[in-house]
Amino acid sequence: MIDETERDRIRRMQRQWAEQRGLTVDDSGNVASVDDNLRAAMSTATLKSFRDAASAELVDGKTGSPAKMRALAAPSALIVNTFDYWTARDATPLLHAFDIPGSAQSLRLEIPLFTGSAGLPPHLDVLLRLNDGSLVGVESKFTEWMVKKSKQAAKLSPYFSESHATSYWSRAGLTAAHQLAKSMLNDDIVFEVLDVQQLLKHMLGLGKAAGGKPWTLLYLYYAGAGEIATIHDAEIARFSAAVGNEVQFVSLTYQGFFKSLSAGAGEQHAEYFGYLRQRYFA
C-alpha cells in the first residue's frame, strides 16, 4: 500500500487556507458551498460545461453526499480557479507558460472528447484552440495521482477488436499507443500511479477533434514528494518513451507552470495570482 502522507499534507494545507479565510469546513474537508471554494463565480460557458457533464461536481447528492467541487482538494476546483479566468481573456500567456509556441484563439473547460467508442466520452479538463487551428489538451491532476490505480487494463478492452489485433489507436494511426495499450491489456506493462488509460483515450479524442491539424496532450500535475512522487515521475517518463514521437506529449508541474505564468503576466492579473499563490503555491 502506498503511503498517502503527501496527499494528507496537501489536504491539511487546503484546510488551513480555508480556516484562515473564515470558511466553514466539515470533517471530510468540504466547504459549505461550491462558491466558497472558488476565486470567482464560474463563467457562463464553464458552468454550462460542468452541468452538461452530469458528473455531480456542482450538486449535492440526494443521500446527502456533498457536491464534488465543495471539497477543498477537489481537482475540479483547482482547474476552475486556475483556468476559468482566462476564458474571457487572451489565453496566449498560458501557451507561453507551457512553452508551446503560437497564440490562443479560445479556451474551454470540461470538454467531452469523442473517441468513436460507445458510451460516455472522456472529458478533457482544458482545451486550447490556437489561431493556426492546432489544439492543446490539458489533463490536470491535483492529489488524485497520489494513490494506486486499479483495473486500468479492463477499461481499455472495449477499444480493441476481439482478437486484440486491432484497436481504435491502430485505426487512428497511433501504432505506438496501440502497442502500449495492448501490453497493458496483456499485463506485460503495469502502471501503478499514472492514469495511462485516461491519457490514451484523450489521445484518440484530441486526434479526432483536431481534424488533421497538429495537437498536443499536456499532462499538468501538482507535484508532491516522497516515494509516491518517485513512482509517478518514473511512470511519466515510461509513458512518454512508449508513445514516442508519434504524438506531442508534454508533462509539467503546476508549480513550474505557475512560476512561469506569474513571471510573464502583467500587474493587471495581480488579484488572480494573489489568490492562487496564497491557496496553492505559498
PDB file of all heavy atoms in Angstrom, residues 143-157:
ATOM      1  N   THR A 143      -4.398  15.918  -6.270  1.00  0.00           N
ATOM      2  CA  THR A 143      -3.846  14.854  -5.421  1.00  0.00           C
ATOM      3  C   THR A 143      -4.288  13.465  -5.861  1.00  0.00           C
ATOM      4  O   THR A 143      -3.838  12.467  -5.286  1.00  0.00           O
ATOM      5  CB  THR A 143      -4.277  15.046  -3.954  1.00  0.00           C
ATOM      6  OG1 THR A 143      -5.706  14.905  -3.852  1.00  0.00           O
ATOM      7  CG2 THR A 143      -3.877  16.421  -3.433  1.00  0.00           C
ATOM      8  N   GLU A 144      -5.152  13.390  -6.883  1.00  0.00           N
ATOM      9  CA  GLU A 144      -5.706  12.083  -7.239  1.00  0.00           C
ATOM     10  C   GLU A 144      -4.670  11.137  -7.823  1.00  0.00           C
ATOM     11  O   GLU A 144      -4.899   9.922  -7.871  1.00  0.00           O
ATOM     12  CB  GLU A 144      -6.916  12.238  -8.168  1.00  0.00           C
ATOM     13  CG  GLU A 144      -6.624  12.819  -9.538  1.00  0.00           C
ATOM     14  CD  GLU A 144      -6.731  14.327  -9.583  1.00  0.00           C
ATOM     15  OE1 GLU A 144      -6.285  15.004  -8.622  1.00  0.00           O
ATOM     16  OE2 GLU A 144      -7.222  14.838 -10.593  1.00  0.00           O
ATOM     17  N   TRP A 145      -3.511  11.661  -8.255  1.00  0.00           N
ATOM     18  CA  TRP A 145      -2.477  10.769  -8.774  1.00  0.00           C
ATOM     19  C   TRP A 145      -1.705  10.089  -7.640  1.00  0.00           C
ATOM     20  O   TRP A 145      -0.906   9.186  -7.880  1.00  0.00           O
ATOM     21  CB  TRP A 145      -1.505  11.524  -9.684  1.00  0.00           C
ATOM     22  CG  TRP A 145      -0.683  12.607  -9.028  1.00  0.00           C
ATOM     23  CD1 TRP A 145      -0.951  13.944  -9.000  1.00  0.00           C
ATOM     24  CD2 TRP A 145       0.559  12.456  -8.324  1.00  0.00           C
ATOM     25  NE1 TRP A 145       0.027  14.636  -8.322  1.00  0.00           N
ATOM     26  CE2 TRP A 145       0.975  13.739  -7.894  1.00  0.00           C
ATOM     27  CE3 TRP A 145       1.361  11.353  -8.015  1.00  0.00           C
ATOM     28  CZ2 TRP A 145       2.150  13.954  -7.170  1.00  0.00           C
ATOM     29  CZ3 TRP A 145       2.537  11.571  -7.291  1.00  0.00           C
ATOM     30  CH2 TRP A 145       2.912  12.853  -6.872  1.00  0.00           C
ATOM     31  N   MET A 146      -1.940  10.492  -6.411  1.00  0.00           N
ATOM     32  CA  MET A 146      -1.141  10.022  -5.285  1.00  0.00           C
ATOM     33  C   MET A 146      -1.634   8.719  -4.670  1.00  0.00           C
ATOM     34  O   MET A 146      -1.247   8.357  -3.563  1.00  0.00           O
ATOM     35  CB  MET A 146      -1.077  11.112  -4.208  1.00  0.00           C
ATOM     36  CG  MET A 146      -0.402  12.378  -4.693  1.00  0.00           C
ATOM     37  SD  MET A 146      -0.382  13.688  -3.454  1.00  0.00           S
ATOM     38  CE  MET A 146       0.364  15.019  -4.420  1.00  0.00           C
ATOM     39  N   VAL A 147      -2.496   8.011  -5.375  1.00  0.00           N
ATOM     40  CA  VAL A 147      -2.954   6.690  -4.928  1.00  0.00           C
ATOM     41  C   VAL A 147      -2.847   5.720  -6.094  1.00  0.00           C
ATOM     42  O   VAL A 147      -2.867   6.120  -7.257  1.00  0.00           O
ATOM     43  CB  VAL A 147      -4.407   6.720  -4.412  1.00  0.00           C
ATOM     44  CG1 VAL A 147      -4.515   7.527  -3.142  1.00  0.00           C
ATOM     45  CG2 VAL A 147      -5.348   7.280  -5.463  1.00  0.00           C
ATOM     46  N   LYS A 148      -2.753   4.446  -5.776  1.00  0.00           N
ATOM     47  CA  LYS A 148      -2.646   3.429  -6.817  1.00  0.00           C
ATOM     48  C   LYS A 148      -3.927   3.347  -7.638  1.00  0.00           C
ATOM     49  O   LYS A 148      -5.023   3.522  -7.125  1.00  0.00           O
ATOM     50  CB  LYS A 148      -2.358   2.066  -6.198  1.00  0.00           C
ATOM     51  CG  LYS A 148      -0.904   1.851  -5.808  1.00  0.00           C
ATOM     52  CD  LYS A 148      -0.688   0.413  -5.366  1.00  0.00           C
ATOM     53  CE  LYS A 148       0.782   0.140  -5.077  1.00  0.00           C
ATOM     54  NZ  LYS A 148       1.003  -1.264  -4.668  1.00  0.00           N
ATOM     55  N   LYS A 149      -3.755   3.084  -8.921  1.00  0.00           N
ATOM     56  CA  LYS A 149      -4.881   2.879  -9.816  1.00  0.00           C
ATOM     57  C   LYS A 149      -5.121   1.367  -9.976  1.00  0.00           C
ATOM     58  O   LYS A 149      -4.207   0.567  -9.867  1.00  0.00           O
ATOM     59  CB  LYS A 149      -4.599   3.494 -11.192  1.00  0.00           C
ATOM     60  CG  LYS A 149      -4.185   4.956 -11.152  1.00  0.00           C
ATOM     61  CD  LYS A 149      -5.287   5.852 -10.641  1.00  0.00           C
ATOM     62  CE  LYS A 149      -4.863   7.309 -10.617  1.00  0.00           C
ATOM     63  NZ  LYS A 149      -3.825   7.608  -9.613  1.00  0.00           N
ATOM     64  N   SER A 150      -6.353   1.018 -10.214  1.00  0.00           N
ATOM     65  CA  SER A 150      -6.677  -0.396 -10.428  1.00  0.00           C
ATOM     66  C   SER A 150      -7.551  -0.522 -11.671  1.00  0.00           C
ATOM     67  O   SER A 150      -8.223   0.427 -12.079  1.00  0.00           O
ATOM     68  CB  SER A 150      -7.417  -0.975  -9.214  1.00  0.00           C
ATOM     69  OG  SER A 150      -8.631  -0.282  -8.997  1.00  0.00           O
ATOM     70  N   LYS A 151      -7.520  -1.689 -12.277  1.00  0.00           N
ATOM     71  CA  LYS A 151      -8.372  -2.036 -13.422  1.00  0.00           C
ATOM     72  C   LYS A 151      -8.167  -1.113 -14.620  1.00  0.00           C
ATOM     73  O   LYS A 151      -9.102  -0.879 -15.398  1.00  0.00           O
ATOM     74  CB  LYS A 151      -9.838  -2.046 -12.996  1.00  0.00           C
ATOM     75  CG  LYS A 151     -10.147  -3.029 -11.877  1.00  0.00           C
ATOM     76  CD  LYS A 151     -11.614  -3.002 -11.498  1.00  0.00           C
ATOM     77  CE  LYS A 151     -11.911  -3.990 -10.385  1.00  0.00           C
ATOM     78  NZ  LYS A 151     -13.345  -3.951  -9.970  1.00  0.00           N
ATOM     79  N   GLN A 152      -6.962  -0.576 -14.788  1.00  0.00           N
ATOM     80  CA  GLN A 152      -6.714   0.249 -15.960  1.00  0.00           C
ATOM     81  C   GLN A 152      -6.875  -0.555 -17.248  1.00  0.00           C
ATOM     82  O   GLN A 152      -7.481  -0.083 -18.217  1.00  0.00           O
ATOM     83  CB  GLN A 152      -5.307   0.859 -15.902  1.00  0.00           C
ATOM     84  CG  GLN A 152      -5.139   1.961 -14.874  1.00  0.00           C
ATOM     85  CD  GLN A 152      -4.046   2.942 -15.292  1.00  0.00           C
ATOM     86  OE1 GLN A 152      -4.112   3.510 -16.374  1.00  0.00           O
ATOM     87  NE2 GLN A 152      -3.045   3.125 -14.443  1.00  0.00           N
ATOM     88  N   ALA A 153      -6.322  -1.772 -17.251  1.00  0.00           N
ATOM     89  CA  ALA A 153      -6.359  -2.592 -18.463  1.00  0.00           C
ATOM     90  C   ALA A 153      -7.792  -2.923 -18.858  1.00  0.00           C
ATOM     91  O   ALA A 153      -8.148  -2.905 -20.041  1.00  0.00           O
ATOM     92  CB  ALA A 153      -5.552  -3.868 -18.254  1.00  0.00           C
ATOM     93  N   ALA A 154      -8.638  -3.203 -17.875  1.00  0.00           N
ATOM     94  CA  ALA A 154     -10.021  -3.558 -18.166  1.00  0.00           C
ATOM     95  C   ALA A 154     -10.752  -2.419 -18.865  1.00  0.00           C
ATOM     96  O   ALA A 154     -11.624  -2.649 -19.715  1.00  0.00           O
ATOM     97  CB  ALA A 154     -10.744  -3.934 -16.875  1.00  0.00           C
ATOM     98  N   LYS A 155     -10.385  -1.188 -18.553  1.00  0.00           N
ATOM     99  CA  LYS A 155     -11.033  -0.032 -19.164  1.00  0.00           C
ATOM    100  C   LYS A 155     -10.595   0.172 -20.620  1.00  0.00           C
ATOM    101  O   LYS A 155     -11.230   0.915 -21.367  1.00  0.00           O
ATOM    102  CB  LYS A 155     -10.733   1.223 -18.345  1.00  0.00           C
ATOM    103  CG  LYS A 155     -11.333   1.193 -16.942  1.00  0.00           C
ATOM    104  CD  LYS A 155     -10.930   2.400 -16.137  1.00  0.00           C
ATOM    105  CE  LYS A 155     -11.508   2.333 -14.733  1.00  0.00           C
ATOM    106  NZ  LYS A 155     -11.093   3.488 -13.905  1.00  0.00           N
ATOM    107  N   LEU A 156      -9.520  -0.493 -21.015  1.00  0.00           N
ATOM    108  CA  LEU A 156      -9.037  -0.398 -22.393  1.00  0.00           C
ATOM    109  C   LEU A 156      -9.653  -1.451 -23.304  1.00  0.00           C
ATOM    110  O   LEU A 156      -9.668  -1.297 -24.523  1.00  0.00           O
ATOM    111  CB  LEU A 156      -7.510  -0.550 -22.413  1.00  0.00           C
ATOM    112  CG  LEU A 156      -6.701   0.537 -21.718  1.00  0.00           C
ATOM    113  CD1 LEU A 156      -5.228   0.142 -21.664  1.00  0.00           C
ATOM    114  CD2 LEU A 156      -6.864   1.875 -22.427  1.00  0.00           C
ATOM    115  N   SER A 157     -10.173  -2.509 -22.728  1.00  0.00           N
ATOM    116  CA  SER A 157     -10.659  -3.641 -23.512  1.00  0.00           C
ATOM    117  C   SER A 157     -11.703  -3.265 -24.564  1.00  0.00           C
ATOM    118  O   SER A 157     -11.645  -3.767 -25.697  1.00  0.00           O
ATOM    119  CB  SER A 157     -11.232  -4.705 -22.569  1.00  0.00           C
ATOM    120  OG  SER A 157     -11.615  -5.848 -23.294  1.00  0.00           O
TER     121      SER A 157
END
